[in-house]
């Protein structure tokens, strides 16, 4: 069971919870023999009313033990109900940060929604199901032990009937587990649709797509509702089924017990104590039925969480860490296809030299973003290799390699907080003076201060300022290789000219590689690589490529 596997690391706490559960279980099982049987057989039947006070004192003591043990055990389960999901949540986050992206399915929104929904199921099981399961299962065992010890003949009939109850409840639990997995997948779809709508709210409103987005969300919501309603109906069946089964058992045992009293094999007090034991068993059976349903729901969630815990990690064995890098990048016969897709890059070969600005252009879908992902070591090529200073990427230490390559994406990675906190995320060792110099380099020193506050994802400043702030963070890393993806696509002419001016200043000391749609921004590049349908079809300067009259010239005319 996947749920058990999730809980195994916490076995000391579970043993403590089991020990605490023993107290109310034993106390409850002792009540019929220490209180009920003497009350009917001695106090009432023999009129020994003087013993009533001592019997009530025993009963009060046992009830106090039940209350204290139950409180202690529930407190412990409440602690585990928040600790287990917390540690599992952090463990999953850490693993997915290092996952092999080629093996990771799902969008960020659907993944986060899936994880949170599944963890909620696990939390609910621990808090509402596991504690009750421990107490009530031990209570049931203790009660059955009392029955077997004092009333073996009646207990034999009970033993013959009990497996049928367990068979019914086990079948319902398996049914609930299957439906729960489908319901949790539905919750994942709803979370994805919600993030999709709210994340692009401006675009949806601007393009009058509210009706389309609403219908798309409503469809996923309706599917989730139907699955949830079905799961609720099936879950609700477990309690009445268990009650009907237990009621039938009670009727049969009552008939047998009365027959034994009539034949003289059992006293009225004994029958009353036995029926009390049996009545006390009803609550554990009903609670265990509910706990079984919760376990079935948690098992579906645990199965999905286990799948994420088993997502393959990026395999990287390189250890090479040179003292100095020249910054010569080489693409050698590079081919790549996403899992289950067609080939995106086909035999691409090129050199990207230090001290130069190399640009990559091409029509949409040509493979530019994919090539950038390979340079960022997010994916590995199926054929060919990427080399740095003559060595394949895989020979370098991965952390060293990623620190040597600074990336400014089209949508900058910024966080809520101050400008200083964002820059420190890129370069933890940088001092405030270095940060101010980096802001000045990208012409932000007069627009933002280190204390300027940003909202989540960098909102609160303009798109151009976000782009230049990300560039400042890249500069602070002092990486010899700088990759820029559509870095001027959202900038006004003034901001664009400032970024291009910064790139000119960086050119002599860095390997600059720019992916661009706006050809005007790269016309002064030392070398322009032209991709089309996954192949490198042209290479040269702006003037050389225009003179050839090929793909680049066509793109220039259309620009």
């Amino acid at each position: 069971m996947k749920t058990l596997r999730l809980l195994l690391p916490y076995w000391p706490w579970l043993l403590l919870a089991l020990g605490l559960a023993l107290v109310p279980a034993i106390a409850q099982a002792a009540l019929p023999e220490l209180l009920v049987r003497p009350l009917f057989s001695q106090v009432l039947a023999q009129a020994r009313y003087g013993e009533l006070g001592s019997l009530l004192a025993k009963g009060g003591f046992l009830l106090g033990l039940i209350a204290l043990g139950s409180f202690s055990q529930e407190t412990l389960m409440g602690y585990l109900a928040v600790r287990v999901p917390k540690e599992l949540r952090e463990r999953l986050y850490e693993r997915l940060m290092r996952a092999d992206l080629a093996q990771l399915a799902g969008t960020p929104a659907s993944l986060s929604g899936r994880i949170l929904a599944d963890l909620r199921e696990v939390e609910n099981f621990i808090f509402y199901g596991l504690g009750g399961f421990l107490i009530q299962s031990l209570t049931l065992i203790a009660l059955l032990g009392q029955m077997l010890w004092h009333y073996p003949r009646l207990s034999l009939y009970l033993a013959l009937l009990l497996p049928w109850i367990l068979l019914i409840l086990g079948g319902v639990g398996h049914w609930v587990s299957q439906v729960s997995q489908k319901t949790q997948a539905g919750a994942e779809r709803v979370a994805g649709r919600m993030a999709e709508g709210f994340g692009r709210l401006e675009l949806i409103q601007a393009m009058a797509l509210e009706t389309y987005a609403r219908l798309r969300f409503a469809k996923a919501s309706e599917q989730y509702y139907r699955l949830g309603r079905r799961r609720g109906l099936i879950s609700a069946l477990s309690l009445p089924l268990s009650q009907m089964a237990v009621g039938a058992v009670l009727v049969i045992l009552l008939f047998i017990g009365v027959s034994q009293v009539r034949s003289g094999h059992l006293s009225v007090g004994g029958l009353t104590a036995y029926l009390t034991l049996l009545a006390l068993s009803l609550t554990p059976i009903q609670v265990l039925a509910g706990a079984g349903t919760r376990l079935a729901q948690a098992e579906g969630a645990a199965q999905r969480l286990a799948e994420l815990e088993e997502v393959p990690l990026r395999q990287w064995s390189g250890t090479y860490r040179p003292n100095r890098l020249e910054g010569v990048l080489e693409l050698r016969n590079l081919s790549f296809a996403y899992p289950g897709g067609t080939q995106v890059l086909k035999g691409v070969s090129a050199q990207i030299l230090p001290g130069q600005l190399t640009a990559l252009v091409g029509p949409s879908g040509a493979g530019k973003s994919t090539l950038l992902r390979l340079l960022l070591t997010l994916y590995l090529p199926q054929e060919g290799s990427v080399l740095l200073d003559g060595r394949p990427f895989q020979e370098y230490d991965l952390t060293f390699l990623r620190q040597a390559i600074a990336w400014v994406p089209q949508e900058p990675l910024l966080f809520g907080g101050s400008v200083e906190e964002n820059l420190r995320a890129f370069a933890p060792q940088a001092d405030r003076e270095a940060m101010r110099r980096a802001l000045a380099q990208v012409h932000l020193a007069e627009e933002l201060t280190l204390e300027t506050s940003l909202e989540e994802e960098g909102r609160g400043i303009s798109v151009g300022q976000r782009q230049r702030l990300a560039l400042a963070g890249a500069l602070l890393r002092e990486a010899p290789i700088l990759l820029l993806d559509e870095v001027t696509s959202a900038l006004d002419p003034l901001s664009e000219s400032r970024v291009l001016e910064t790139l000119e200043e960086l050119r002599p000391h860095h390997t600059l590689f720019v992916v661009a749609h706006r050809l005007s921004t790269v016309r002064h590049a030392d070398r322009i690589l032209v991709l089309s349908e996954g192949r490198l079809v042209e290479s040269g300067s702006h003037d050389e490529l225009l003179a050839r009259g090929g793909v680049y010239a066509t793109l220039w005319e259309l620009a």
Side-chain angles (χ1 to χ4, degrees):
M1 291 177 65
K2 298 296 183 181
T3 308
L4 181 61
R5 178 184 162 191
L6 290 180
L7 295 174
L8 271 181
Y10 306 92
W11 65 266
W13 296 102
L14 294 176
L15 279 181
L16 178 58
L18 195 63
L20 292 172
L22 274 172
V23 177
I26 293 173
Q28 191 169 342
L31 270 174
E33 285 301 313
L34 295 180
L35 182 63
V36 176
R37 186 171 185 174
L39 180 64
F40 281 89
S41 297
Q42 299 171 18
V43 175
L44 297 179
Q46 302 177 24
R48 294 158 59 177
Y49 298 111
E51 297 178 8
L52 183 60
S54 62
L55 281 179
L56 293 177
K58 288 179 183 177
F61 176 72
L62 290 174
L63 290 174
L65 284 179
I66 292 172
L68 180 62
S70 298
F71 170 77
S72 302
Q73 203 256 6
E74 284 293 323
T75 302
L76 178 59
M77 297 316 298
Y79 164 71
L80 286 177
V82 292
R83 178 173 175 177
V84 173
K86 169 190 175 293
E87 294 186 354
L88 183 56
R89 184 167 55 239
E90 293 171 357
R91 194 162 68 242
L92 281 172
Y93 188 89
E94 191 273 338
R95 185 174 186 88
L96 294 180
M97 285 290 104
R98 299 186 294 118
D100 183 352
L101 297 182
Q103 305 297 323
L104 189 60
T107 63
S110 66
L111 274 178
S112 59
R114 166 182 173 174
I115 291 170
L116 292 176
D118 290 343
L119 286 175
R120 197 177 301 116
E121 291 285 357
V122 173
E123 181 179 340
N124 287 340
F125 167 69
I126 295 173
F127 190 75
Y128 297 108
L130 184 57
F133 173 80
L134 292 176
I135 287 182
Q136 301 303 335
S137 59
L138 290 176
T139 300
L140 185 60
I141 291 170
L143 291 169
L144 292 175
Q146 287 279 60
M147 293 179 195
L148 286 169
W149 182 259
H150 295 286
Y151 312 99
R153 183 175 294 183
L154 285 174
S155 299
L156 177 62
Y157 292 108
L158 178 63
L160 294 173
L161 296 169
L162 196 58
W164 293 100
I165 299 176
L166 298 177
L167 185 64
I168 292 170
L169 297 180
V172 174
H174 178 68
W175 196 8
V176 171
S177 177
Q178 290 181 323
V179 175
S180 291
Q181 289 195 42
K182 296 179 181 177
T183 305
Q184 287 148 9
E188 179 185 339
R189 283 193 296 273
V190 168
R193 295 289 182 267
M194 190 174 289
E196 178 183 76
F198 292 154
R200 299 295 183 92
L201 195 55
E202 289 183 354
L203 286 175
I204 289 172
Q205 291 183 354
M207 301 175 71
L209 293 174
E210 294 96 334
T211 301
Y212 173 79
R214 179 178 56 78
L215 292 175
R216 184 174 165 84
F217 174 78
K219 182 180 178 182
S221 181
E222 177 67 19
Q223 289 174 341
Y224 179 46
Y225 160 73
R226 291 180 182 277
L227 288 168
R229 190 176 63 181
R230 184 182 175 196
R231 185 178 76 169
L233 179 62
I234 296 170
S235 299
L237 280 174
S238 62
L239 183 58
L241 281 174
S242 65
Q243 290 173 332
M244 290 171 60
V246 170
V249 170
L250 273 175
V251 170
I252 294 171
L253 291 177
L254 182 60
F255 175 78
I256 296 171
V258 170
S259 300
Q260 289 194 4
V261 170
R262 290 176 63 185
S263 65
H265 291 98
L266 189 66
S267 67
V268 173
L271 178 59
T272 306
Y274 184 80
L275 291 177
T276 303
L277 285 168
L278 202 56
L280 289 173
S281 301
L282 291 179
T283 299
I285 290 174
Q286 291 172 355
V287 171
L288 289 174
T293 301
R294 290 191 180 277
L295 175 60
Q297 295 171 355
E299 183 64 19
Q303 175 70 39
R304 287 153 52 85
L305 291 170
E307 290 172 3
L308 291 178
E309 280 202 294
E310 294 166 2
V311 168
L313 298 179
R314 164 60 66 86
Q315 299 300 314
W316 197 280
S317 57
T319 57
Y320 183 57
R321 300 175 66 95
N323 294 325
R324 182 174 175 275
L325 283 174
E326 293 293 331
V328 179
L329 287 171
E330 183 181 351
L331 315 176
R332 186 176 293 176
N333 198 29
L334 211 57
S335 295
F336 178 79
Y338 291 103
T342 57
Q343 207 168 39
V344 182
L345 296 176
K346 307 166 187 175
V348 175
S349 296
Q351 227 179 20
I352 304 166
L353 300 175
Q356 293 186 2
L357 173 60
T358 303
L360 179 67
V361 301
S364 296
K368 302 187 297 297
S369 296
T370 299
L371 180 56
L372 194 59
R373 289 187 178 100
L374 296 180
L375 290 174
L376 291 166
T377 69
L378 298 177
Y379 296 91
L380 295 176
Q382 282 89 22
E383 296 179 20
S385 57
V386 183
L387 291 83
L388 174 59
D389 290 350
R391 284 178 175 264
F393 266 14
Q394 288 88 335
E395 293 185 10
Y396 287 87
D397 176 81
L398 184 58
T399 302
F400 171 84
L401 191 60
R402 287 180 169 170
Q403 289 173 344
I405 300 173
W407 176 40
V408 182
Q410 186 175 0
E411 297 183 7
L413 177 63
L414 298 173
F415 307 94
S418 67
V419 168
E420 180 179 354
E421 289 170 339
N422 274 273
L423 292 177
R424 199 167 296 284
F426 291 106
Q429 306 304 321
D431 56 33
R432 289 173 64 86
E433 187 56 39
M435 292 180 187
R436 291 192 183 95
R437 286 197 301 271
L439 290 177
Q441 274 186 285
V442 296
H443 306 283
L444 271 179
E446 296 180 1
E447 302 174 30
L448 303 176
T449 67
L450 294 180
E451 291 74 28
T452 300
S453 180
L454 278 63
E455 299 173 19
E456 292 299 321
E457 299 181 357
R459 292 189 297 270
I461 59 176
S462 71
V463 175
Q465 288 173 327
R466 271 183 257 168
Q467 202 84 47
R468 284 183 284 154
L469 183 57
L471 181 55
L475 297 180
L476 270 178
R477 294 179 63 175
E478 298 182 348
I481 300 168
L482 188 58
L483 308 181
L484 302 101
D485 183 13
E486 305 288 355
V487 72
T488 63
S489 61
L491 302 186
D492 58 83
L494 178 59
S495 297
E496 179 182 327
S497 66
R498 287 176 171 175
V499 169
L500 294 177
E501 183 181 332
T502 301
L503 294 182
E504 283 300 319
E505 295 170 0
L506 296 173
R507 188 188 302 206
H509 313 292
H510 293 77
T511 302
L512 297 180
F513 185 71
V514 179
V515 177
H517 273 304
R518 291 168 59 180
L519 302 187
S520 60
T521 61
V522 296
R523 61 181 300 177
H524 299 298
D526 297 288
R527 190 175 178 214
I528 300 172
L529 307 177
V530 184
L531 270 184
S532 180
E533 298 181 354
R535 299 184 184 279
L536 185 63
V537 294
E538 294 176 346
S539 173
S541 67
H542 171 75
D543 293 334
E544 291 171 348
L545 293 175
L546 284 182
R548 290 179 194 171
V551 175
Y552 181 83
T554 302
L555 292 173
W556 181 261
E557 290 175 3
L558 295 173

